[in-house]
Amino acid sequence: MTVATNMAGRGVDIILGGNAELLAVHELQAQGVDVESDEGAEELKRLQAKLEASCRVEGDEVRKLGGLYVLGSERHESRRIDNQLRGRSGRQGDPGESRFFLSLDDDLLRLFATGAMSWVMGRTLPEDVPIESKTVAKAIERAQNTVEARNAEIRKDNLKYDEVMDQQRKVIYERRLQVIDGDDLEEHTEDLLAGAVESAVAACCPSDYTEEWDLKGLIDTLSQYYPTKFSVADLEQAGKTEQLTESIVEEALEYYEQHSESMPGGAATMRQIERDVMLQIIDARWRDHLAEMDNLKDGIHLRWTVQADPLNAWQQEGYSMFGQLMEVIDNDYLRYVMHVEAVQTPQAEPDLQGAVYEAADDPVAGTGAMAGALLADRAVHVPPTSTAQGRVPAPAQPAQVAPPPANGAGRRPAAAPVDPDAMAPIIKGENEKIGRNDPCWCGSGKKYKLCHGAG
């Protein structure tokens, strides 16, 4: 017996009598045998051959009884699900049968098959007698068609709602990619600055009549973008709003250029800062916009109460909110960029007073450097040493080393006394400076380590 809830397993045929291979695998796994190993594979073949005979016998017995019988306790809203469940029987030439039972309390009959309910209620039948009629079967099929059509319309509406967000997402992501790809925002910043000045002048000075001008409010508004040097008396000298706008725009662009050049790296640093600021503002404001759109979508269906189409209201208000989002992004970006300051922290000079020399285990500078370090650590004077190839002069004065801290930090452990003659630097000849794997200097063609360097 196989119990299927809501939907059967598609793509899997129920083999009458059982699947010998799967039965063998399950049995070996229950015994703790690893079927991936060589011994497990051999045991799997042996057990599978044994189970195939019994599965074949049981399959013949099931076929004699009529094959697989699919018993459904209700009908699904979608005919596709019912057909998939029916299709589990009668596979690969085997016999099979399916039968579905419904109740008058099922949602499919109660909500969508009202005609079938009326036909059943109009007849006096015993409670224990099943109702079998083509009228009821057709009514159920019509109800399933109704439900499928309703679900299709719901999916269409959801797609239309998603198209609004998809268009907005494409605009935002395209703008982000332009910034990430290194797009120069200087011209865009200048346009935003000129537009902000024009908007401020239009709000504070709506006409050419100076009596209607709010120059104090205009200066306060401009101070949000850049520190203007104009005073109320200076702005009163302009006779028209056009002259007022031109003077302020010229000052704002000049300040923007000076601000860019004042950066530690010049204009190049300013371009990088502009891209970083733009990306941060876009990401922050886009997250807030997504949350606001979700809140709008949760209650948009209530527009039906005022005889308004929720989809049209969603599109119109979504477009308006997206326009406000773009304005907020530009406004915040302009304020940040015009006030940003880049500080270059000077690198501190290293303090070498308490430094202690530490030589490597295998110094590449030669034994002479090691000897000098050890003797300098003990303030010992190294006498000049002569070699066959030349003379190495000794330092004029012994090296002075700073005393270690009082707590002993950085102090090296005491070492055994060093013999100056034993630690004297050695100067190699020209024939001894070649590598061990290089050709020997004698011209024999052998490597140096196999010829004169063998000793």
Side-chain angles (χ1 to χ4, degrees):
M1 176 179 293
T2 300
V3 179
T5 59
N6 190 1
M7 181 175 175
R10 294 179 294 174
V12 179
D13 291 338
I14 301 176
I15 301 177
L16 302 182
N19 191 329
E21 182 180 0
L22 293 180
L23 290 175
V25 171
H26 291 166
E27 185 173 348
L28 291 178
Q29 289 179 348
Q31 297 176 3
V33 179
D34 185 9
V35 296
E36 299 294 337
S37 61
D38 296 338
E39 297 179 357
E42 294 295 334
E43 185 67 18
L44 177 63
K45 291 181 181 179
R46 185 190 62 79
L47 185 58
Q48 181 178 351
K50 179 180 178 181
L51 293 176
E52 283 179 354
S54 60
C55 291
R56 191 179 304 108
V57 173
E58 293 180 2
D60 294 339
E61 294 179 359
V62 175
R63 293 183 184 91
K64 292 178 181 179
L65 296 175
L68 180 64
Y69 194 94
V70 176
L71 183 64
S73 60
E74 64 177 346
R75 294 286 289 272
H76 198 270
E77 293 180 353
S78 175
R79 293 170 299 169
R80 178 176 60 87
I81 306 299
D82 291 340
N83 293 334
Q84 288 174 357
L85 191 57
R86 286 195 185 99
R88 297 306 94 202
S89 65
R91 305 292 294 183
Q92 300 181 3
D94 293 333
E97 189 176 351
S98 62
R99 190 175 184 85
F100 286 79
F101 289 86
L102 287 83
S103 172
L104 296 179
D105 294 332
D106 291 346
D107 294 338
L108 185 64
L109 290 176
R110 184 170 52 85
L111 298 177
F112 300 101
T114 55
M117 293 287 293
S118 301
W119 184 86
V120 171
M121 298 302 294
R123 282 161 174 73
T124 304
L125 298 174
E127 294 183 357
D128 57 347
V129 176
I131 302 172
E132 297 181 356
S133 173
K134 292 183 178 181
T135 303
V136 177
K138 291 182 179 179
I140 294 173
E141 186 176 354
R142 287 194 299 268
Q144 288 179 326
N145 290 332
T146 302
V147 175
E148 291 175 357
R150 187 195 66 168
N151 293 338
E153 289 297 327
I154 292 175
R155 289 192 295 270
K156 282 184 179 180
D157 287 342
N158 290 335
L159 183 60
K160 292 178 181 178
Y161 281 99
D162 292 340
E163 285 179 354
V164 175
M165 293 303 303
D166 185 58
Q167 294 175 359
Q168 297 181 4
R169 189 178 298 108
K170 288 180 179 178
V171 174
I172 290 294
Y173 284 6
E174 182 180 0
R175 191 166 182 178
R176 290 187 79 257
L177 288 177
Q178 291 176 355
V179 177
I180 292 174
D181 292 340
D183 195 7
D184 193 350
L185 299 179
E186 181 180 5
E187 183 177 356
H188 178 66
T189 306
E190 293 177 351
D191 294 340
L192 292 179
L193 186 57
V197 171
E198 293 175 359
S199 300
V201 173
C204 298
C205 305
S207 66
D208 290 337
Y209 297 101
T210 57
E211 294 81 3
E212 300 179 358
W213 289 5
D214 182 11
L215 299 180
K216 181 65 170 59
L218 178 60
I219 294 177
D220 294 339
T221 304
L222 295 177
S223 299
Q224 299 178 4
Y225 299 100
Y226 73 100
T228 178
K229 297 180 180 179
F230 282 123
S231 62
V232 175
D234 296 335
L235 297 179
E236 287 177 351
Q237 297 179 3
K240 297 182 179 180
T241 56
E242 183 178 357
Q243 299 176 355
L244 190 65
T245 303
E246 292 179 357
S247 301
I248 298 176
V249 168
E250 183 179 358
E251 183 198 30
L253 294 179
E254 183 179 356
Y255 173 80
Y256 172 65
E257 183 178 357
Q258 294 176 357
H259 186 57
S260 300
E261 297 296 337
S262 64
M263 291 295 170
T269 303
M270 189 64 178
R271 301 292 87 81
Q272 181 62 36
I273 293 176
E274 289 172 352
R275 287 191 288 268
D276 295 340
V277 170
M278 177 62 80
L279 283 177
Q280 294 178 9
I281 292 177
I282 288 177
D283 293 343
R285 294 303 181 183
W286 175 243
R287 288 193 296 267
D288 296 341
H289 177 72
L290 291 178
E292 294 174 358
M293 293 296 290
D294 289 340
N295 295 333
L296 175 63
K297 190 175 182 180
D298 291 340
I300 199 66
H301 63 280
L302 299 177
R303 302 301 173 90
W304 281 112
T305 58
V306 293
Q307 304 300 320
D309 186 7
L311 180 59
N312 291 336
W314 165 260
Q315 293 174 345
Q316 294 175 2
E317 296 190 17
Y319 179 79
S320 176
M321 293 173 61
F322 186 72
Q324 296 176 5
L325 169 67
M326 303 304 290
E327 293 179 359
V328 170
I329 289 176
D330 292 338
N331 194 21
D332 291 351
Y333 162 76
L334 188 59
R335 293 183 180 183
Y336 274 102
V337 167
M338 296 299 290
H339 291 87
V340 68
E341 295 289 343
V343 179
Q344 187 175 6
T345 305
Q347 296 183 355
E349 294 293 334
D351 186 10
L352 302 179
Q353 293 183 358
V356 177
Y357 176 78
E358 294 287 349
D361 295 338
D362 186 14
V364 296
T367 56
M370 180 185 294
L374 292 175
L375 297 176
D377 191 20
R378 295 161 178 79
V380 178
H381 178 68
V382 181
T385 304
S386 300
T387 62
Q389 284 78 13
R391 179 179 298 273
V392 179
Q397 295 179 356
Q400 298 295 329
V401 180
N407 57 2
R411 178 179 299 173
R412 298 173 54 187
V418 180
D419 186 4
D421 296 334
M423 299 301 298
I426 300 175
I427 300 178
K428 294 183 178 181
E430 294 295 334
N431 297 333
E432 298 177 347
K433 293 182 180 180
I434 60 178
R436 290 176 52 80
N437 292 321
D438 295 338
C440 185
W441 54 270
C442 66
S444 62
K446 299 180 180 181
K447 294 182 178 180
Y448 176 73
K449 65 181 182 181
L450 300 177
C451 190
H452 282 78

